[in-house]
mmCIF file of all heavy atoms in Angstrom:
data_model
loop_
_atom_site.group_PDB
_atom_site.id
_atom_site.type_symbol
_atom_site.label_atom_id
_atom_site.label_comp_id
_atom_site.label_asym_id
_atom_site.label_seq_id
_atom_site.Cartn_x
_atom_site.Cartn_y
_atom_site.Cartn_z
ATOM 1 N N SER A 1 11.483 -2.752 6.834
ATOM 2 C CA SER A 1 10.864 -3.781 6.012
ATOM 3 C C SER A 1 10.625 -5.005 6.882
ATOM 4 O O SER A 1 11.203 -5.123 7.957
ATOM 5 C CB SER A 1 11.779 -4.154 4.852
ATOM 6 O OG SER A 1 12.962 -4.745 5.341
ATOM 7 N N GLY A 2 9.765 -5.890 6.443
ATOM 8 C CA GLY A 2 9.534 -7.094 7.210
ATOM 9 C C GLY A 2 8.265 -7.023 8.037
ATOM 10 O O GLY A 2 7.809 -5.945 8.403
ATOM 11 N N SER A 3 7.732 -8.185 8.333
ATOM 12 C CA SER A 3 6.430 -8.269 8.980
ATOM 13 C C SER A 3 6.502 -8.216 10.501
ATOM 14 O O SER A 3 5.471 -8.203 11.156
ATOM 15 C CB SER A 3 5.731 -9.558 8.551
ATOM 16 O OG SER A 3 6.523 -10.676 8.924
ATOM 17 N N ILE A 4 7.720 -8.189 11.056
ATOM 18 C CA ILE A 4 7.813 -8.249 12.512
ATOM 19 C C ILE A 4 7.984 -6.874 13.141
ATOM 20 O O ILE A 4 8.213 -6.762 14.333
ATOM 21 C CB ILE A 4 8.976 -9.162 12.968
ATOM 22 C CG1 ILE A 4 10.323 -8.604 12.499
ATOM 23 C CG2 ILE A 4 8.750 -10.578 12.497
ATOM 24 C CD1 ILE A 4 11.506 -9.341 13.103
ATOM 25 N N PHE A 5 7.863 -5.812 12.337
ATOM 26 C CA PHE A 5 8.084 -4.469 12.876
ATOM 27 C C PHE A 5 7.206 -4.216 14.086
ATOM 28 O O PHE A 5 7.684 -3.736 15.119
ATOM 29 C CB PHE A 5 7.809 -3.412 11.801
ATOM 30 C CG PHE A 5 7.857 -1.992 12.323
ATOM 31 C CD1 PHE A 5 9.067 -1.358 12.476
ATOM 32 C CD2 PHE A 5 6.694 -1.323 12.682
ATOM 33 C CE1 PHE A 5 9.126 -0.052 12.967
ATOM 34 C CE2 PHE A 5 6.737 -0.033 13.178
ATOM 35 C CZ PHE A 5 7.963 0.602 13.315
ATOM 36 N N ARG A 6 5.924 -4.532 13.964
ATOM 37 C CA ARG A 6 4.999 -4.194 15.051
ATOM 38 C C ARG A 6 5.311 -4.975 16.327
ATOM 39 O O ARG A 6 4.858 -4.601 17.404
ATOM 40 C CB ARG A 6 3.559 -4.470 14.611
ATOM 41 C CG ARG A 6 3.264 -5.928 14.332
ATOM 42 C CD ARG A 6 1.811 -6.127 13.906
ATOM 43 N NE ARG A 6 1.537 -7.536 13.629
ATOM 44 C CZ ARG A 6 1.208 -8.407 14.554
ATOM 45 N NH1 ARG A 6 1.103 -8.020 15.812
ATOM 46 N NH2 ARG A 6 0.962 -9.664 14.233
ATOM 47 N N LEU A 7 6.067 -6.058 16.213
ATOM 48 C CA LEU A 7 6.436 -6.857 17.381
ATOM 49 C C LEU A 7 7.767 -6.419 17.984
ATOM 50 O O LEU A 7 8.153 -6.883 19.060
ATOM 51 C CB LEU A 7 6.536 -8.333 16.994
ATOM 52 C CG LEU A 7 5.265 -8.964 16.433
ATOM 53 C CD1 LEU A 7 5.550 -10.394 15.979
ATOM 54 C CD2 LEU A 7 4.149 -8.948 17.466
ATOM 55 N N SER A 8 8.471 -5.539 17.270
ATOM 56 C CA SER A 8 9.828 -5.184 17.646
ATOM 57 C C SER A 8 9.877 -3.985 18.569
ATOM 58 O O SER A 8 9.080 -3.050 18.448
ATOM 59 C CB SER A 8 10.651 -4.866 16.385
ATOM 60 O OG SER A 8 10.697 -5.962 15.500
ATOM 61 N N ASP A 9 10.819 -4.025 19.491
ATOM 62 C CA ASP A 9 11.179 -2.840 20.254
ATOM 63 C C ASP A 9 12.110 -2.013 19.371
ATOM 64 O O ASP A 9 13.101 -2.538 18.846
ATOM 65 C CB ASP A 9 11.886 -3.212 21.555
ATOM 66 C CG ASP A 9 10.986 -3.978 22.507
ATOM 67 O OD1 ASP A 9 9.757 -3.859 22.393
ATOM 68 O OD2 ASP A 9 11.532 -4.704 23.361
ATOM 69 N N MET A 10 11.814 -0.743 19.234
ATOM 70 C CA MET A 10 12.573 0.115 18.326
ATOM 71 C C MET A 10 13.337 1.168 19.120
ATOM 72 O O MET A 10 12.783 1.754 20.066
ATOM 73 C CB MET A 10 11.631 0.821 17.346
ATOM 74 C CG MET A 10 10.788 -0.124 16.496
ATOM 75 S SD MET A 10 11.796 -1.164 15.430
ATOM 76 C CE MET A 10 12.617 0.064 14.411
ATOM 77 N N GLY A 11 14.571 1.414 18.718
ATOM 78 C CA GLY A 11 15.378 2.385 19.431
ATOM 79 C C GLY A 11 16.152 3.287 18.506
ATOM 80 O O GLY A 11 16.446 2.919 17.368
ATOM 81 N N TRP A 12 16.438 4.469 18.995
ATOM 82 C CA TRP A 12 17.360 5.391 18.331
ATOM 83 C C TRP A 12 18.614 5.489 19.189
ATOM 84 O O TRP A 12 18.521 5.679 20.406
ATOM 85 C CB TRP A 12 16.739 6.778 18.171
ATOM 86 C CG TRP A 12 15.731 6.864 17.071
ATOM 87 C CD1 TRP A 12 14.370 6.812 17.196
ATOM 88 C CD2 TRP A 12 16.016 7.033 15.678
ATOM 89 N NE1 TRP A 12 13.781 6.929 15.959
ATOM 90 C CE2 TRP A 12 14.766 7.073 15.004
ATOM 91 C CE3 TRP A 12 17.181 7.160 14.927
ATOM 92 C CZ2 TRP A 12 14.662 7.237 13.622
ATOM 93 C CZ3 TRP A 12 17.074 7.319 13.562
ATOM 94 C CH2 TRP A 12 15.834 7.356 12.917
ATOM 95 N N TYR A 13 19.752 5.351 18.546
ATOM 96 C CA TYR A 13 21.045 5.480 19.195
ATOM 97 C C TYR A 13 21.834 6.562 18.463
ATOM 98 O O TYR A 13 21.522 6.892 17.305
ATOM 99 C CB TYR A 13 21.818 4.150 19.125
ATOM 100 C CG TYR A 13 21.245 3.045 19.967
ATOM 101 C CD1 TYR A 13 20.070 2.393 19.579
ATOM 102 C CD2 TYR A 13 21.865 2.642 21.142
ATOM 103 C CE1 TYR A 13 19.541 1.369 20.354
ATOM 104 C CE2 TYR A 13 21.343 1.613 21.918
ATOM 105 C CZ TYR A 13 20.184 0.989 21.516
ATOM 106 O OH TYR A 13 19.661 -0.022 22.288
ATOM 107 N N ARG A 14 22.873 7.068 19.127
ATOM 108 C CA ARG A 14 23.733 8.024 18.455
ATOM 109 C C ARG A 14 25.178 7.804 18.857
ATOM 110 O O ARG A 14 25.454 7.302 19.937
ATOM 111 C CB ARG A 14 23.303 9.458 18.761
ATOM 112 C CG ARG A 14 23.509 9.895 20.197
ATOM 113 C CD ARG A 14 22.913 11.282 20.412
ATOM 114 N NE ARG A 14 23.101 11.747 21.780
ATOM 115 C CZ ARG A 14 22.555 12.861 22.268
ATOM 116 N NH1 ARG A 14 21.786 13.622 21.479
ATOM 117 N NH2 ARG A 14 22.777 13.224 23.510
ATOM 118 N N GLN A 15 26.051 8.183 17.941
ATOM 119 C CA GLN A 15 27.483 8.089 18.215
ATOM 120 C C GLN A 15 28.162 9.339 17.696
ATOM 121 O O GLN A 15 28.125 9.624 16.491
ATOM 122 C CB GLN A 15 28.091 6.846 17.569
ATOM 123 C CG GLN A 15 29.538 6.624 17.960
ATOM 124 C CD GLN A 15 30.042 5.249 17.573
ATOM 125 O OE1 GLN A 15 29.477 4.580 16.708
ATOM 126 N NE2 GLN A 15 31.101 4.799 18.220
ATOM 127 N N ALA A 16 28.765 10.067 18.617
ATOM 128 C CA ALA A 16 29.532 11.261 18.266
ATOM 129 C C ALA A 16 30.982 10.864 18.032
ATOM 130 O O ALA A 16 31.435 9.831 18.537
ATOM 131 C CB ALA A 16 29.421 12.283 19.388
ATOM 132 N N PRO A 17 31.723 11.671 17.293
ATOM 133 C CA PRO A 17 33.133 11.342 17.021
ATOM 134 C C PRO A 17 33.910 11.161 18.315
ATOM 135 O O PRO A 17 33.832 11.984 19.228
ATOM 136 C CB PRO A 17 33.624 12.570 16.240
ATOM 137 C CG PRO A 17 32.408 13.127 15.613
ATOM 138 C CD PRO A 17 31.292 12.885 16.583
ATOM 139 N N GLY A 18 34.634 10.050 18.400
ATOM 140 C CA GLY A 18 35.459 9.786 19.565
ATOM 141 C C GLY A 18 34.714 9.307 20.789
ATOM 142 O O GLY A 18 35.319 9.146 21.859
ATOM 143 N N LYS A 19 33.408 9.073 20.640
ATOM 144 C CA LYS A 19 32.605 8.629 21.784
ATOM 145 C C LYS A 19 31.936 7.305 21.481
ATOM 146 O O LYS A 19 31.796 6.903 20.332
ATOM 147 C CB LYS A 19 31.557 9.685 22.142
ATOM 148 C CG LYS A 19 32.137 10.995 22.638
ATOM 149 C CD LYS A 19 31.034 11.913 23.145
ATOM 150 C CE LYS A 19 31.612 13.196 23.717
ATOM 151 N NZ LYS A 19 30.542 14.092 24.247
ATOM 152 N N GLN A 20 31.509 6.638 22.548
ATOM 153 C CA GLN A 20 30.792 5.380 22.374
ATOM 154 C C GLN A 20 29.351 5.649 21.962
ATOM 155 O O GLN A 20 28.792 6.703 22.245
ATOM 156 C CB GLN A 20 30.815 4.579 23.689
ATOM 157 C CG GLN A 20 32.172 4.000 24.025
ATOM 158 C CD GLN A 20 32.095 3.028 25.195
ATOM 159 O OE1 GLN A 20 31.251 3.148 26.066
ATOM 160 N NE2 GLN A 20 32.990 2.050 25.204
ATOM 161 N N ARG A 21 28.775 4.664 21.290
ATOM 162 C CA ARG A 21 27.369 4.766 20.929
ATOM 163 C C ARG A 21 26.516 4.769 22.191
ATOM 164 O O ARG A 21 26.788 4.002 23.129
ATOM 165 C CB ARG A 21 26.970 3.609 20.016
ATOM 166 C CG ARG A 21 25.548 3.692 19.486
ATOM 167 C CD ARG A 21 25.332 2.701 18.366
ATOM 168 N NE ARG A 21 25.582 1.331 18.768
ATOM 169 C CZ ARG A 21 25.740 0.324 17.923
ATOM 170 N NH1 ARG A 21 25.688 0.548 16.616
ATOM 171 N NH2 ARG A 21 25.959 -0.895 18.372
ATOM 172 N N GLU A 22 25.495 5.610 22.206
ATOM 173 C CA GLU A 22 24.622 5.694 23.367
ATOM 174 C C GLU A 22 23.161 5.628 22.940
ATOM 175 O O GLU A 22 22.799 6.058 21.844
ATOM 176 C CB GLU A 22 24.863 6.996 24.146
ATOM 177 C CG GLU A 22 24.548 8.266 23.374
ATOM 178 C CD GLU A 22 24.689 9.522 24.220
ATOM 179 O OE1 GLU A 22 24.890 9.419 25.444
ATOM 180 O OE2 GLU A 22 24.585 10.620 23.642
ATOM 181 N N LEU A 23 22.352 5.093 23.843
ATOM 182 C CA LEU A 23 20.924 5.024 23.606
ATOM 183 C C LEU A 23 20.321 6.420 23.753
ATOM 184 O O LEU A 23 20.589 7.120 24.733
ATOM 185 C CB LEU A 23 20.260 4.064 24.588
ATOM 186 C CG LEU A 23 18.742 3.987 24.543
ATOM 187 C CD1 LEU A 23 18.278 3.372 23.230
ATOM 188 C CD2 LEU A 23 18.211 3.189 25.726
ATOM 189 N N VAL A 24 19.502 6.809 22.798
ATOM 190 C CA VAL A 24 18.808 8.091 22.859
ATOM 191 C C VAL A 24 17.382 7.890 23.351
ATOM 192 O O VAL A 24 16.928 8.560 24.283
ATOM 193 C CB VAL A 24 18.786 8.766 21.473
ATOM 194 C CG1 VAL A 24 17.979 10.056 21.518
ATOM 195 C CG2 VAL A 24 20.204 9.031 20.991
ATOM 196 N N ALA A 25 16.668 6.974 22.710
ATOM 197 C CA ALA A 25 15.264 6.743 23.060
ATOM 198 C C ALA A 25 14.853 5.372 22.558
ATOM 199 O O ALA A 25 15.404 4.880 21.567
ATOM 200 C CB ALA A 25 14.357 7.814 22.453
ATOM 201 N N VAL A 26 13.898 4.783 23.235
ATOM 202 C CA VAL A 26 13.392 3.476 22.827
ATOM 203 C C VAL A 26 11.880 3.471 22.985
ATOM 204 O O VAL A 26 11.340 4.120 23.893
ATOM 205 C CB VAL A 26 14.043 2.346 23.651
ATOM 206 C CG1 VAL A 26 13.720 2.488 25.124
ATOM 207 C CG2 VAL A 26 13.626 0.985 23.136
ATOM 208 N N ILE A 27 11.224 2.780 22.080
ATOM 209 C CA ILE A 27 9.778 2.587 22.166
ATOM 210 C C ILE A 27 9.500 1.097 22.012
ATOM 211 O O ILE A 27 9.903 0.476 21.024
ATOM 212 C CB ILE A 27 9.016 3.438 21.140
ATOM 213 C CG1 ILE A 27 7.504 3.280 21.320
ATOM 214 C CG2 ILE A 27 9.447 3.131 19.708
ATOM 215 C CD1 ILE A 27 6.691 4.343 20.582
ATOM 216 N N ALA A 28 8.833 0.538 23.002
ATOM 217 C CA ALA A 28 8.547 -0.883 22.982
ATOM 218 C C ALA A 28 7.411 -1.194 22.017
ATOM 219 O O ALA A 28 6.701 -0.289 21.565
ATOM 220 C CB ALA A 28 8.184 -1.354 24.388
ATOM 221 N N SER A 29 7.250 -2.474 21.727
ATOM 222 C CA SER A 29 6.179 -2.863 20.810
ATOM 223 C C SER A 29 4.816 -2.432 21.335
ATOM 224 O O SER A 29 3.916 -2.099 20.551
ATOM 225 C CB SER A 29 6.206 -4.370 20.577
ATOM 226 O OG SER A 29 6.070 -5.062 21.805
ATOM 227 N N GLY A 30 4.683 -2.373 22.648
ATOM 228 C CA GLY A 30 3.420 -1.955 23.245
ATOM 229 C C GLY A 30 3.256 -0.459 23.386
ATOM 230 O O GLY A 30 2.189 0.017 23.797
ATOM 231 N N GLY A 31 4.313 0.297 23.047
ATOM 232 C CA GLY A 31 4.211 1.751 23.056
ATOM 233 C C GLY A 31 4.908 2.453 24.206
ATOM 234 O O GLY A 31 5.016 3.680 24.195
ATOM 235 N N ASN A 32 5.379 1.699 25.198
ATOM 236 C CA ASN A 32 6.108 2.350 26.291
ATOM 237 C C ASN A 32 7.400 2.957 25.770
ATOM 238 O O ASN A 32 8.061 2.385 24.892
ATOM 239 C CB ASN A 32 6.431 1.343 27.386
ATOM 240 C CG ASN A 32 5.194 0.911 28.149
ATOM 241 O OD1 ASN A 32 4.193 1.606 28.170
ATOM 242 N ND2 ASN A 32 5.270 -0.254 28.775
ATOM 243 N N THR A 33 7.761 4.109 26.324
ATOM 244 C CA THR A 33 8.958 4.817 25.857
ATOM 245 C C THR A 33 9.931 5.065 27.006
ATOM 246 O O THR A 33 9.546 5.080 28.188
ATOM 247 C CB THR A 33 8.587 6.174 25.228
ATOM 248 O OG1 THR A 33 7.904 6.969 26.201
ATOM 249 C CG2 THR A 33 7.699 5.987 24.011
#
């Protein structure tokens, strides 16, 4: 929600039991991944 989505860098992270959260993938506002 919100009007700033298109300006935001978006990322997916994951956390398995007993492990630290880690970055899975990121897509910048300009589309770079």
Side-chain angles (χ1 to χ4, degrees):
S1 65
S3 60
I4 63 171
F5 173 81
R6 64 180 180 85
L7 300 175
S8 301
D9 295 337
M10 302 297 299
W12 284 99
Y13 291 74
R14 68 186 181 187
Q15 187 167 20
K19 295 188 177 181
Q20 289 190 331
R21 185 167 59 195
E22 63 175 352
L23 175 67
V24 176
V26 62
I27 184 166
S29 58
N32 289 338
T33 59

